[in-house]
Amino acid sequence: MTDTLTTENADSTIDVTGESCPMPVVRTRQAVDDLAVGEVLEVLATDAGSVSDIDGWAGSVDEVELRAQAENEEDGRVVYRHYVERVDG
């Protein structure tokens, strides 16, 4: 993913660090329901599987587009940032 998105660009953020599959996708799906079309959700996760899980989930639903994913080290742990946009499905 090549879009340059950051916390500052996101309309809302959920923190699912410390949670493992399937919770990052479950909580992302729930949070997307609260977004208006065009809004971006930032998801913070520490589960490496969230990269493929959120990508696969976003590709399977019409009203969501995965805009970007990034991996950063924060406080001695890897944090995966996912940016999901609510689109007009």
Side-chain angles (χ1 to χ4, degrees):
M1 306 266 143
T2 58
D3 290 350
T4 304
L5 289 170
T6 65
T7 300
E8 291 77 30
N9 303 101
D11 296 290
S12 60
T13 300
I14 61 168
D15 185 342
V16 294
T17 58
E19 297 186 36
S20 57
C21 184
M23 292 314 296
V25 171
V26 169
R27 301 252 332 265
T28 300
R29 184 183 71 227
Q30 291 169 339
V32 163
D33 289 343
D34 294 332
L35 296 178
V37 171
E39 289 186 327
V40 174
L41 172 69
E42 176 187 48
V43 181
L44 307 178
T46 49
D47 179 12
S50 68
V51 175
S52 61
D53 292 346
I54 290 177
D55 182 29
W57 167 75
S60 71
V61 292
D62 292 334
E63 55 277 336
V64 173
E65 183 177 324
L66 180 61
R67 302 285 295 158
Q69 292 181 307
E71 177 182 324
N72 301 86
E73 187 166 326
E74 299 176 19
D75 299 322
R77 65 183 181 172
V78 176
V79 175
Y80 303 93
R81 293 176 180 272
H82 312 277
Y83 296 91
V84 179
E85 181 180 357
R86 176 85 185 249
V87 296
D88 192 9

